[in-house]
Amino acid sequence: MALLLVACAAQAKVRLPHIICDNMVLQQKTDARLWGWDQPGKKVRVSVSWNNDVYSATTGRDGKWMVRVPTPEASYTPLSITFDDGEPVTVSNVLSGEVWVCAGQSNMEMPVRGFGNCPVDGYNDEVLQAGEYRGIHYVKIPSIMRMMPQDDAQCEWREVGPKTVGDLSATGYFFAQAVTKALDIPVGLVVANKGGTRVESWLTKENLEKYTKEPTDSDGIVRFKPEWDYHRALVWGNGTFNPILNYTVKGIIYYQGCSNVGDPGNQYSERMKILVNQWREQFGLGEIPFYFVEIAPYHYDNVNGDNGARLREQQYKASKEIPNSGLVCTNDLVYPYETTQIHPAQKRAVGRRLAYLALNQTYGMTDVWCKSPSYKDMKVVGDTIHIHLSDDYGSINRFEGIEGFEVAGADHVFHPAKATHFWRPGGGYWDETIQIVCPEVKQPVALRYCFKNFQIGNLKNGAGLPLFPFRTDEW
């Protein structure tokens, strides 16, 4: 009888998802969702340290309950939340701040300490300085495959410090560093990603069946044998992303694409749009911001091939078609010796550039220049091409020694070209351009910039942000 009473008491106690725990960060100044499980028909009361109100919900037949709690303005003051169904449970050291999801594949997963044979620049310095960023907290969702959507995951929130910073997503950490510095508020990172995954890995069964030919039943997924498990569709979203969908967040940062290199036509950009729409609908928080990263230069078995370049082109296309989004260019963020390094070491700049987008477009800091320049238009005069760029912030970083341009004539053969700043008195639209000439091409037809798997350019705008790779042809 005593054992029975103990068992009943354990079952009666309110159960929280692992993501609701000590050290969590709540999205500030919103109605944050808090949820869990209990016995069917049980009333759960939620009280918080920042006001005197009590919020309550009664569990349904499935034992689930949810309340919405108004959160205070961001601060570093520790808060607490008590959940009480007759036996109280309290979570402590809760902060109110800005909460962002870190999604994607291995370049988002890559921690501050790096992977084996894949270091991150500045690791020791980040360990030494981590104590300055205790307002950054993070929770890492285990990367697991599941056939059915999961509503919980074994995880815990951790406070950044010298002993914990090494395990945090480097891109996410450097993003959070810049945001917390600029806004002077806590930042919470929900790290839900898996190395090697494709965009299809995160789509729901409904979207996969509607828009793809990927198998979605267990037999089909087992029979479909990609080279690596992390290429499987559906199962990573079910196991790794679904557990966070009730959590109230500000937005998503995303770094993925390498595993989709070689996809035909506009398939990747179309599926990216589907994924972003899906996540926004699942979170139920409106058109939350989505900022993502262009895949970096990499050989893809042929440095002069263009499969990687075509995927970057699809990412750029998606950035123009997905509302409330932005794309970070990484053309300059590899070292020349990283041709075969799929995980480049320069993650600080990646995170900071994502933060520039968020600070400008989400938080209204318009003095933070956040956009990379892109190709605008072209005119051919004799043997010379003249071009303009968009988003140059009134300047380019160099007038001579510009690298990365290639020109082709009617034969479709591209040759390296010389590019320089061009100006003449007059003030007309075409009186200041970048001019490109190539001795081998007397009648230029098409222009490309860093449109190869691995090619590093050096043209940047007034913000020091690199020009997006592009092509003017459709060959």
Side-chain angles (χ1 to χ4, degrees), residues 144-413:
I144 57 174
M145 294 184 288
R146 292 290 184 270
M147 279 303 304
M148 299 300 295
Q150 303 297 295
D151 54 13
D152 194 13
Q154 189 78 36
C155 60
E156 63 177 355
W157 282 88
R158 306 177 76 186
E159 183 180 47
V160 160
K163 293 184 178 181
T164 59
V165 69
D167 296 327
L168 175 55
S169 160
T171 295
Y173 181 52
F174 294 127
F175 168 84
Q177 272 189 351
V179 172
T180 195
K181 272 187 174 181
L183 303 180
D184 191 22
I185 58 175
V187 173
L189 298 177
V190 180
V191 184
N193 45 54
K194 170 60 181 175
T197 48
R198 302 180 297 144
V199 66
E200 294 82 3
S201 303
W202 307 103
L203 292 176
T204 60
K205 180 178 181 179
E206 293 74 20
N207 278 334
L208 287 167
E209 291 177 348
K210 184 175 182 180
Y211 298 107
T212 81
K213 296 181 180 180
E214 299 279 346
T216 59
D217 62 290
S218 57
D219 289 341
I221 289 177
V222 170
R223 287 197 304 270
F224 175 65
K225 295 182 178 179
E227 184 177 2
W228 306 103
D229 281 347
Y230 46 69
H231 283 172
R232 296 188 187 278
L234 177 67
V235 292
W236 295 105
N238 281 346
T240 305
F241 210 86
N242 209 76
I244 74 172
L245 292 174
N246 280 336
Y247 207 79
T248 304
V249 304
K250 185 68 172 185
I252 302 170
I253 57 175
Y254 183 80
Y255 194 164
Q256 186 275 335
C258 298
S259 291
N260 285 95
V261 167
D263 285 3
N266 294 328
Q267 178 174 294
Y268 183 79
S269 63
E270 291 302 312
R271 292 181 181 180
M272 277 294 299
K273 290 189 290 184
I274 294 166
L275 178 62
V276 175
N277 286 336
Q278 169 192 299
W279 279 347
R280 286 172 171 169
E281 290 174 2
Q282 289 177 309
F283 274 112
L285 299 169
E287 201 173 83
I288 57 175
F290 180 83
Y291 301 126
F292 60 119
V293 183
E294 175 189 74
I295 60 171
Y298 177 69
H299 74 129
Y300 293 107
D301 297 325
N302 178 4
V303 293
N304 293 316
D306 65 5
N307 280 347
R310 291 174 184 270
L311 195 284
R312 295 181 199 106
E313 185 176 59
Q314 288 302 298
Q315 291 179 309
Y316 182 80
K317 178 179 174 64
S319 74
K320 296 302 178 184
E321 297 176 352
I322 297 171
N324 199 17
S325 73
L327 179 65
V328 165
C329 181
T330 60
N331 177 255
D332 62 330
L333 295 184
V334 294
Y335 296 115
Y337 56 79
E338 289 185 310
T339 306
T340 58
Q341 177 55 277
I342 195 69
H343 304 121
Q346 300 179 62
K347 289 295 186 285
R348 174 186 290 274
V350 178
R352 283 182 175 270
R353 289 176 187 179
L354 286 165
Y356 299 157
L357 286 167
L359 291 170
N360 180 298
Q361 297 182 187
T362 300
Y363 297 111
M365 296 184 65
T366 56
D367 287 333
V368 175
W369 293 345
C370 65
K371 294 184 179 181
S372 271
S374 58
Y375 167 77
K376 184 178 182 181
D377 54 26
M378 176 180 91
K379 181 172 77 169
V380 178
V381 180
D383 64 352
T384 303
I385 294 176
H386 292 262
I387 67 168
H388 290 113
L389 305 179
S390 297
D391 300 315
D392 61 7
Y393 297 109
S395 61
I396 57 175
N397 68 319
R398 59 182 61 235
F399 286 174
E400 298 179 356
I402 301 172
E403 300 174 355
F405 283 101
E406 294 183 309
V407 172
D411 61 359
H412 294 195
V413 178

Side-chain angles (χ1 to χ4, degrees), residues 67-108:
V67 298
R68 294 178 183 269
V69 174
T71 55
E73 185 175 0
S75 81
Y76 298 98
T77 302
L79 309 170
S80 64
I81 308 172
T82 297
F83 304 86
D84 192 353
D85 68 346
E87 185 174 354
V89 175
T90 299
V91 297
S92 304
N93 197 34
V94 175
L95 297 180
S96 186
E98 293 294 293
V99 181
W100 287 80
V101 177
C102 302
Q105 60 179 113
S106 56
N107 272 298
M108 181 62 82

Side-chain angles (χ1 to χ4, degrees), residues 439-459:
E440 290 82 8
V441 183
K442 300 302 181 183
Q443 294 180 311
V445 173
L447 178 69
R448 290 184 174 186
Y449 177 76
C450 293
F451 203 79
K452 292 182 178 180
N453 288 340
F454 191 96
Q455 186 176 14
I456 304 172
N458 62 1
L459 187 56

